[in-house]
Amino acid sequence: MTDHVWHAVRPPHDLGVIVHGPVILASAPDIAAGLRAVFAYPSGLHLLLTYRAVGERAVDAGSWSYGRVRRYPGPTADNPYTSPELHVTVNDSAGPAHTSGHIFNSDDAFSVNASYWISELPLDDRVLITLEWPYAGLPLTETVLTLQGLDNLDDRVLRLL
């Protein structure tokens, strides 16, 4: 297995092909993470996730993340902010996936919509997602996605211009 970092990169401007979703990836009382969809392009995968917390978990999530999804490994004396920890394995590449996202707070809820770019297509149609956000109460979970329809992406992706 090769250590890899999936950097926060914008996906192509064209419209990808939906190859999976939606699915709940992790949940605990008052907090959950879900995969809205996986879009495939000839150059990689665009994963759209959402995180939501209510009640005390909303307070925990909001206090830990501060303003936008942070790319920090965990709270320290110098850095009290964290984010959901997403690791993605595709083929022989495995490592953390980074994103920026939008936070929506209200009096009783906390939500993050996050976008991840995986710059590789799986040869076996499988993607392993490992997810946790321990500081907000979301336990470690692993989910294997089996993607459908990765063939002929060059011909199937809709071009905007």
Side-chain angles (χ1 to χ4, degrees):
M1 190 68 56
T2 303
D3 288 337
H4 186 79
V5 175
W6 305 104
H7 295 285
V9 175
R10 288 183 191 262
H13 291 286
D14 296 326
L15 302 178
V17 176
I18 296 176
V19 294
H20 201 288
V23 65
I24 301 294
L25 296 173
S27 65
D30 295 334
I31 189 166
L35 173 76
R36 290 186 187 277
V38 177
F39 290 89
Y41 298 83
S43 58
L45 301 171
H46 183 196
L47 282 64
L48 299 174
L49 275 73
T50 188
Y51 304 91
R52 181 151 171 86
V54 296
E56 285 300 312
R57 289 295 170 207
V59 174
D60 294 341
S63 66
W64 286 117
S65 47
Y66 184 75
R68 67 183 183 88
V69 176
R70 298 292 182 172
R71 296 181 183 97
Y72 302 126
T76 65
D78 296 329
N79 172 32
Y81 310 114
T82 68
S83 68
E85 298 171 22
L86 184 79
H87 289 259
V88 176
T89 303
V90 173
N91 302 325
D92 195 34
S93 300
H98 297 292
T99 187
S100 61
H102 301 286
I103 291 180
F104 305 97
N105 285 316
S106 68
D107 291 338
D108 61 348
F110 171 89
S111 296
V112 174
N113 290 325
S115 174
Y116 300 90
W117 177 253
I118 307 304
S119 58
E120 193 169 332
L121 292 173
L123 299 174
D124 61 357
D125 297 338
R126 295 166 45 101
V127 175
L128 171 64
I129 294 179
T130 305
L131 174 67
E132 69 178 326
W133 194 359
Y135 307 103
L138 197 61
L140 176 68
T141 60
E142 288 188 351
T143 305
V144 176
L145 304 176
T146 302
L147 307 182
Q148 304 292 319
L150 292 176
D151 54 320
N152 302 318
L153 289 173
D154 282 321
D155 298 330
R156 295 174 48 224
V157 168
L158 298 176
R159 310 287 180 215
L160 283 175
L161 298 174

